[in-house]
């Protein structure tokens, strides 16, 4: 509001002191690791755990990494994109129902959305391995109705990996969507109906645009971790579904090729940043960036 | 759309009741709003005005009763299918759309191809042409109010509902917008149903006022009718001010009802007497009461009561407002125009009061003489 009188300035020192904890936090947990990651990506690729590593500004690490690993990189973005789309559709329906239709069950339903966080990510994904197992009831049922052939399986397929990603990151979609939908003044929807919009049109002309900040936040919070995830591909997929996270993990922990792992990490980060920026622009919620 | 036999498209509510789980907000309401009228629904906060409007708009469904436009029953029609639009109490402008798009919203939904011209004409009517590209939050309250009006009006509804459209504006702006609204209504010739709790606003703008209290219509009529001839104590007190004095009916002639009021016999015109026998309340508006120092002649023949004592004097410039204690202990208001013919009477003065018989009214003694006093804005 423009006519609110600004409070009297307290001088720069107070502001500086208030900013200090945040600045220390960022320096310790963002700037330092980020620097170290970028430095790693520029190591001499011939280094090893035994001979040691050295920053040699070896930019060819990036092109080498892309050449060797572009398939899992693209696959990661595609899987994450599909999982995010599923999360958006499911999450929107869920968040909409909780925000507008749940009445007194609202709190309970919200608790149920975050309830999976009470057990570990790993355990939850492992239990999906049991559910989707070749002799499990899901496969049996799908085979019985001939959706799956007698030799078809779910485990070790892209379906299982994408389903796992969708399941694991759904709450990250639902919560921001809910926060955004819950804020919408119902009188605006009534006004739309009063102005000759049927409920369907009222949704697309009023509810949906007003929920775009939640859509933007939810897709970011889902897409970013999904694109970097390796647990789902490892537990629910086969080598054919390996994602970039699996490659990076393998390069770091098994091969010891720190330079390639670092380069891939930086590439992934840059790609995600570009995709997200483009998307958020498009969603018209610039104030989030 | 069909027309009534006489071609008119009056809005009619018949026996409309709205019950919530533990509360009846509107009780068996009967109401006819003639086509093209500026109609005011006046009542204190919480009396069911918004609920009534929402049922006409289709945002709520009556528990029982019916709503018709001409001979078209719209009781259960969807809000987006009725030829009715609303100016909401809080405006409810779409925050993500420009002023232009807010105003164009209804036309676009109806599939109108070229919206630019009508939208610009409408923005001109409400004097907002220069604001077309702004978002609602960038406008002042008065401007937002006019956007809300334009957004509803552009659809040329048969009935425009306005829910306390001026309630959020300061007094000066409110008075200016009242004139403006009235001008727009006569220009477009649509039926306006204007909800307000401000009796001055209702009286200044409306052709017909329905006074609503606790979910029922107390009385309906032109501002003059309601003011001069209230049928209930609530109307007498809520619309302006009244003094109500206990009396007993003595005699009924073809023109007057005569009543004994604490020893003085006063006459009330028969068409303003809503009781014919037994005990009753004699009502009189303070500006109709003439006041003079005891013993001096009052230049109006009529009901004459002696023995008053001035207990309060409030000089407000154009008039002086007296409170006079009568011999029976009741305090009665008397407003004297400051014409310069009369000195101001100090507190404690012995005075006589008088009023012309045609100005008094007579109410049923069952009425609560204080009804509507507290609710008055
Ligand atoms: N959804 C509802 N449930 C229960 N009571 C309601 C509801 N809506 C309104 N009321 C009650 O109905 C009465 C009339 O409300 P309203 O029509 O908004 O009054 P007004 O507009 O005259 O101030 C109020 O006492 C209000 O508390
Ligand atoms: Mg109201």
């Amino acid at each position: 509001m423009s006519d609110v009188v600004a409070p009297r300035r307290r001088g720069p020192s107070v502001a500086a002191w208030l900013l200090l904890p945040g600045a220390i936090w960022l320096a310790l947990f963002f700037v330092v690791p980020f620097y170290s990651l970028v430095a790693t990506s520029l190591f001499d690729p011939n280094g090893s755990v035994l001979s040691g590593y050295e920053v040699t500004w070896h930019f060819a690490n990036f092109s080498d990494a892309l050449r060797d690993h572009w398939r899992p990189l693209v696959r990661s973005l595609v899987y994450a994109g599909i999982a995010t789309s599923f999360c958006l559709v499911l999450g929107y329906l869920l968040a909409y129902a909780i925000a507008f239709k749940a009445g007194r069950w609202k709190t309970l339903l919200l608790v149920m959305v975050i309830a999976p966080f009470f057990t570990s990510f790993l355990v939850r994904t492992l239990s999906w391995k049991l559910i989707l197992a070749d002799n499990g009831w899901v496969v049996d049922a799908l085979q019985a109705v001939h959706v799956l052939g007698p030799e078809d399986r779910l485990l070790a397929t892209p379906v299982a990996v994408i389903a796992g990603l969708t399941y694991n990151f759904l709450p990250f979609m639902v919560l921001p969507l809910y926060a955004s939908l819950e804020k919408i003044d119902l009188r605006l929807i009534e006004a739309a109906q009063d102005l000759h919009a049927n409920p369907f049109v009222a949704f697309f002309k009023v509810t949906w645009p007003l929920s775009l900040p939640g859509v933007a936040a939810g897709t970011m919070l889902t897409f970013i971790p999904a694109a970097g995830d390796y647990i789902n591909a490892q537990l629910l997929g086969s080598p054919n579904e390996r994602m970039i996270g699996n490659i990076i993990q393998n390069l770091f922990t098994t091969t010891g090729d720190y330079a390639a792992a670092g380069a891939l990490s930086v590439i992934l980060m840059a790609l995600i940043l570009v995709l997200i920026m483009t998307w958020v622009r498009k969603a018209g919620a610039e104030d989030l960036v | 759309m069909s027309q009534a036999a006489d071609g008119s498209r009056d809005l009619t509510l018949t026996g409309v009741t709205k019950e919530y789980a533990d509360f009846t907000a509107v009780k068996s309401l009967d109401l006819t709003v003639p086509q093209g009228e500026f109609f005011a629904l006046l009542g204190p906060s919480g009396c069911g005005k918004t609920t009534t409007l929402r049922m006409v708009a289709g945002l709520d469904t009556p528990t029982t009763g019916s709503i018709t436009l001409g001979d078209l029953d719209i009781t259960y029609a969807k809000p987006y299918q009725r030829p009715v639009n609303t100016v909401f109490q809080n405006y409810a402008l779409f925050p993500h759309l420009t002023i232009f798009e807010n105003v164009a919203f209804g036309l676009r939904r109806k599939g109108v191809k070229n919206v630019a011209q009508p939208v610009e004409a409408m923005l001109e009517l409400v004097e907002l042409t220069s604001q077309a590209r702004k978002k609602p939050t960038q406008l002042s309250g008065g401007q937002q109010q006019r956007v809300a009006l334009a957004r509803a009006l552009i659809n040329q509804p048969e009935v425009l509902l306005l829910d306390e459209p001026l309630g959020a504006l300061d007094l000066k702006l409110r008075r200016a917008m009242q004139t403006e609204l009235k001008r727009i209504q006569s220009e477009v010739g649509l039926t306006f149903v204007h909800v307000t709790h401000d009796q001055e606003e209702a009286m200044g703008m409306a052709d017909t006022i329905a006074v609503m209290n606790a979910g029922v219509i107390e009385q309906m009529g032109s501002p003059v009718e309601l003011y001069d001839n209230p049928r209930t104590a609530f109307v007498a007190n809520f619309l302006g001010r009244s003094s109500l004095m206990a009396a007993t009916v003595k005699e009924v002639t073809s023109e007057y009802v005569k009543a004994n009021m604490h020893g003085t016999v006063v006459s009330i015109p028969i068409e303003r007497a809503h009781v014919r026998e037994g005990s009753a309340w004699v009502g009189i508006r303070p500006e109709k009461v003439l006041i003079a120092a005891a013993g001096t002649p009052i230049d109006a023949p009529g009901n004459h009561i002696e023995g008053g004592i001035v207990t309060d004097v409030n000089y407000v410039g154009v008039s002086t407002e007296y409170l006079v204690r009568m011999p029976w202990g009741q305090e009665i208001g008397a407003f004297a125009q400051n014409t310069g013919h009369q000195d101001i009477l100090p507190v404690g003065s012995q005075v006589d009061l008088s009023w012309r018989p045609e100005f008094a009214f007579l109410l049923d003694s069952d009425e609560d003489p204080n009804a509507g006093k507290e609710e008055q804005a």
Side-chain angles (χ1 to χ4, degrees), chain A residues 6-284:
Chain A
R8 214 151 51 83
R9 286 177 57 103
R10 298 204 197 161
S13 62
V14 177
W17 279 109
L18 287 174
L19 282 173
L20 194 62
I24 293 177
W25 172 274
L26 269 181
L28 275 180
F29 297 105
F30 181 72
V31 177
V32 171
F34 184 72
Y35 168 79
S36 133
L37 177 66
V38 173
T40 308
S41 73
L42 296 169
F43 278 174
D44 174 4
N46 298 317
S48 72
V49 182
L50 296 176
S51 60
Y53 297 94
E54 203 185 341
V55 177
T56 55
W57 300 97
H58 193 88
F59 282 103
N61 284 343
F62 290 97
S63 46
D64 292 349
L66 273 179
R67 185 195 60 221
D68 295 342
H69 305 292
W70 67 271
R71 275 173 196 283
L73 190 60
V74 170
R75 189 183 296 131
S76 291
L77 299 180
V78 170
Y79 282 10
I82 296 174
T84 304
S85 314
F86 283 137
C87 279
L88 182 58
V89 174
L90 289 174
Y92 207 100
L93 291 173
L94 193 54
Y96 188 93
I98 297 175
F100 295 135
K101 309 281 177 199
R104 60 204 176 92
W105 302 104
K106 215 179 224 181
T107 318
L108 180 69
L109 287 170
L110 278 175
V111 169
M112 284 171 68
V113 167
I114 53 170
F117 291 135
F118 293 131
T119 51
S120 120
F121 185 70
L122 214 52
V123 170
R124 278 182 280 137
T125 312
L126 273 170
S127 51
W128 275 102
K129 193 169 177 155
L130 295 179
I131 295 169
L132 300 178
D134 294 343
N135 52 1
W137 65 269
V138 176
V139 171
D140 286 350
L142 289 176
Q143 282 171 343
V145 296
H146 300 288
V147 171
L148 288 180
E151 296 307 316
D152 288 344
R153 50 192 312 216
L154 284 176
L155 215 54
T157 65
V159 173
V161 178
I162 292 170
L165 289 171
T166 305
Y167 161 77
N168 274 312
F169 297 110
L170 186 62
F172 296 104
M173 182 66 89
V174 174
L175 295 179
L177 278 176
Y178 169 79
S180 191
L181 284 168
E182 214 257 344
K183 270 200 309 216
I184 295 179
D185 187 346
L186 290 178
R187 289 174 294 194
L188 294 177
I189 297 163
E190 290 187 340
Q193 298 203 13
D194 188 69
L195 292 164
H196 310 293
N198 64 41
F200 189 73
V201 174
F203 173 80
F204 282 104
K205 293 292 171 189
V206 179
T207 313
W208 172 257
L210 289 176
S211 67
L212 280 181
V215 172
T219 43
M220 279 203 282
L221 289 178
T222 310
F223 184 81
I224 297 173
D229 183 72
Y230 64 93
I231 300 279
N232 284 283
Q234 182 161 328
L235 296 181
L236 305 174
S238 73
N240 290 332
E241 284 80 42
R242 279 200 297 181
M243 292 171 67
I244 199 66
N246 302 87
I247 306 292
I248 296 172
Q249 189 230 8
N250 196 43
L251 287 172
F252 260 118
T253 58
T254 314
T255 326
D257 191 348
Y258 284 15
L264 273 181
S265 300
V266 172
I267 290 169
L268 179 65
M269 195 189 283
L271 275 176
I272 288 177
L273 207 63
V274 169
L275 283 173
I276 289 292
M277 295 281 268
T278 319
W279 160 251
V280 169
R281 279 274 151 71
K282 226 176 154 216

Side-chain angles (χ1 to χ4, degrees), chain B residues 20-23 25 43-52 89 163-164 195:
Chain B
Y20 292 112
D22 52 351
F23 189 78
S45 184
C47 73
K49 305 184 296 295
T50 297
T51 307
T52 306
Q89 194 158 6
D163 194 356
E164 311 220 11
V195 157

Side-chain angles (χ1 to χ4, degrees), chain B residues 86-335:
Chain B
T86 308
V87 177
F88 289 87
Q89 194 158 6
N90 60 329
Y91 313 146
L93 300 179
F94 303 122
H96 58 299
L97 299 180
T98 60
I99 301 312
F100 184 96
E101 284 304 324
N102 264 280
V103 176
F105 194 92
L107 291 186
R108 291 202 194 280
R109 302 292 83 75
K110 290 202 264 185
V112 174
K113 287 269 158 16
N114 182 11
V115 299
Q117 203 208 337
V119 171
E120 274 153 23
M122 190 47 69
L123 287 174
E124 194 155 331
L125 181 73
V126 297
E127 292 163 12
L128 283 174
T129 308
S130 58
Q131 315 291 326
R133 304 284 148 215
K134 291 191 181 167
K135 292 278 179 73
T137 48
Q138 294 170 285
L139 301 193
S140 72
Q143 290 172 325
Q144 291 184 18
Q145 202 284 319
R146 283 181 281 154
V147 177
L149 179 65
R151 185 180 72 169
L153 213 48
I154 197 168
N155 304 293
Q156 300 189 317
E158 293 192 35
V159 179
L160 183 75
L161 306 174
L162 304 103
D163 194 356
E164 311 220 11
L166 312 177
L169 308 180
D170 61 52
L171 189 67
K172 208 170 148 207
L173 196 52
R174 193 149 83 217
R175 296 290 174 244
M177 279 305 298
Q178 285 170 10
T179 321
E180 191 69 353
L181 262 183
K182 187 81 186 129
R183 171 182 74 80
I184 290 172
Q185 194 267 340
S186 55
E187 224 160 276
V188 296
L190 302 173
T191 311
F192 274 35
V193 179
H194 180 111
V195 157
T196 179
H197 65 261
D198 178 345
Q199 47 109 1
E200 266 183 62
E201 186 175 303
M203 296 224 281
M205 300 172 81
D207 302 317
T208 307
I209 300 178
V211 179
M212 197 168 176
N213 179 33
V216 302
I217 299 282
E218 293 257 340
Q219 191 177 349
M220 198 162 100
S222 71
V224 174
E225 257 171 73
L226 291 188
Y227 190 79
D228 285 349
N229 189 6
R231 281 166 195 279
T232 67
F234 181 87
V235 176
N237 290 323
F238 188 70
L239 218 65
R241 284 200 247 170
S242 298
S243 301
L244 297 179
M245 296 153 284
T248 314
V249 175
K250 283 191 55 138
E251 190 188 341
V252 181
T253 71
S254 61
E255 280 178 54
Y256 287 97
V257 172
K258 295 196 168 167
N260 182 340
M261 188 183 82
H262 304 284
T264 309
V265 174
V266 295
S267 343
I268 297 100
I270 193 100
E271 70 279 5
R272 289 160 161 258
H274 306 295
V275 205
R276 292 285 184 276
E277 56 178 25
S279 53
W281 299 107
V282 173
I284 187 76
R285 301 279 188 189
E287 75 279 5
K288 305 287 181 358
V289 178
L290 299 174
I291 182 168
T296 49
I298 299 183
D299 55 352
N303 303 306
H304 194 86
I305 305 129
E306 297 175 354
I309 294 171
V310 174
T311 55
D312 188 49
V313 182
N314 187 14
Y315 177 79
V316 295
V318 293
S319 63
T320 307
E321 304 183 357
Y322 293 100
L323 218 49
V324 178
R325 181 158 48 237
M326 301 315 290
W328 59 90
Q330 188 179 1
E331 286 188 323
I332 301 219
F335 297 170

